[in-house]
Amino acid sequence: MSVYLVGAGPGDPGLITVRGLSLLRECDVVLYDRLVAPELVQQAPLRAVRIPRGSLSQEQINELLIGHGRAGFRVVRLKGGDPFVFGRGGEEALALADAGVPFEVVPGVSSLSAVPAAVDIPVTHRGIAAAVTAVAAHEPDRLDYPALARAPGTLVFFMGLAGLDRLAAGLIAAGKAAATPAAVVSSGTLPDQELVVGDLTEIAALATALEPPSLLVVGEVVRIAGRLGAAALRRVAMAA
Ligand SMILES: C[S@@+](CC[C@H](N)C(=O)[O-])C[C@H]1O[C@@H](n2cnc3c(N)ncnc32)[C@H](O)[C@@H]1O
């Protein structure tokens, strides 16, 4: 018996891995994050204990994982995207390792590439971007804008919607070209997915009506979406 840190994918329940789904269907306990699709939580057996993250602190989550793991239950910790991409999965793995509770990390499809892909943006298009920088932007005033403005390739900002104006202004002030294309994708891969595209000077104003979860993509790869446009088949979110 052990604890499985499972990536649920970016939103569409069809984007969990085969292994993740199979573990979920056999678990005794599932502890899940807010962004996880309800259709996935329903995949746990009826007898399974369902624990929403709600307002639990990280310490309380660690204690629950350790406690249920030690008690011999099969525990699935279901996390949005990939557990190790801005998901605090590393902290949970360390807590389990320190407590001597066996665990396994089951990677997930991260919004890092999947959400841009859902709007036809290939984050590392050959000849345009040979690097991608993933940035946690929930504290936009603490970012190293000169380093970000110099970074080659594509920039992908997580958790940055509330501070989008400061983010864009910080990049421009640090030397990033104002004409750099940018895209904000809200609820990527889900039926209510929304996309706005503009340059760095206008992207914040264009995105004011969008809701979290949202991802900001900055770089020339955004232009590829316009070229794929109508020819790209749209995925329809499907029940797992
Ligand atoms: C705490 S991070 C978790 C990231 C996750 N571990 C992953 O690999 O995608 C949550 C942030 O990811 C981004 N995000 C996650 N799902 C998204 C979606 N469906 N559409 C747009 N952004 C999303 C948003 O920036 C959101 O605030």
Side-chain angles (χ1 to χ4, degrees), residues 10 35 80-82 85-87 110-111 115 158-159 185-188 213-215:
L35 288 180
D82 182 275
V85 178
F86 298 131
S110 177
S111 58
V115 166
F158 290 70
M159 301 167 276
V185 191
S186 168
S187 295
S214 288
L215 208 69

Side-chain angles (χ1 to χ4, degrees), residues 9-12 33-35 79-88 108-113 115 135 157-161 185-190 193 211-216:
D12 177 346
D33 282 346
R34 192 176 50 83
L35 288 180
K79 303 173 73 70
D82 182 275
F84 278 8
V85 178
F86 298 131
R88 303 187 76 163
V109 175
S110 177
S111 58
L112 171 63
S113 57
V115 166
V135 187
F157 294 91
F158 290 70
M159 301 167 276
L161 188 66
V185 191
S186 168
S187 295
T189 78
L190 289 165
Q193 171 177 291
E211 300 280 338
S214 288
L215 208 69
L216 167 67

Side-chain angles (χ1 to χ4, degrees), residues 68-129:
H68 284 105
R70 277 196 180 135
F73 295 117
R74 268 174 304 197
V75 183
V76 164
R77 170 71 175 111
L78 197 54
K79 303 173 73 70
D82 182 275
F84 278 8
V85 178
F86 298 131
R88 303 187 76 163
E91 293 169 46
E92 292 171 13
L94 278 173
L96 290 161
D98 288 347
V101 175
F103 69 92
E104 177 186 329
V105 180
V106 182
V109 175
S110 177
S111 58
L112 171 63
S113 57
V115 166
V119 295
D120 309 324
I121 299 173
V123 286
T124 60
H125 193 75
R126 189 163 66 92
I128 296 182

Side-chain angles (χ1 to χ4, degrees), residues 203-217:
I203 194 68
L206 291 171
T208 45
L210 297 192
E211 300 280 338
S214 288
L215 208 69
L216 167 67
V217 185

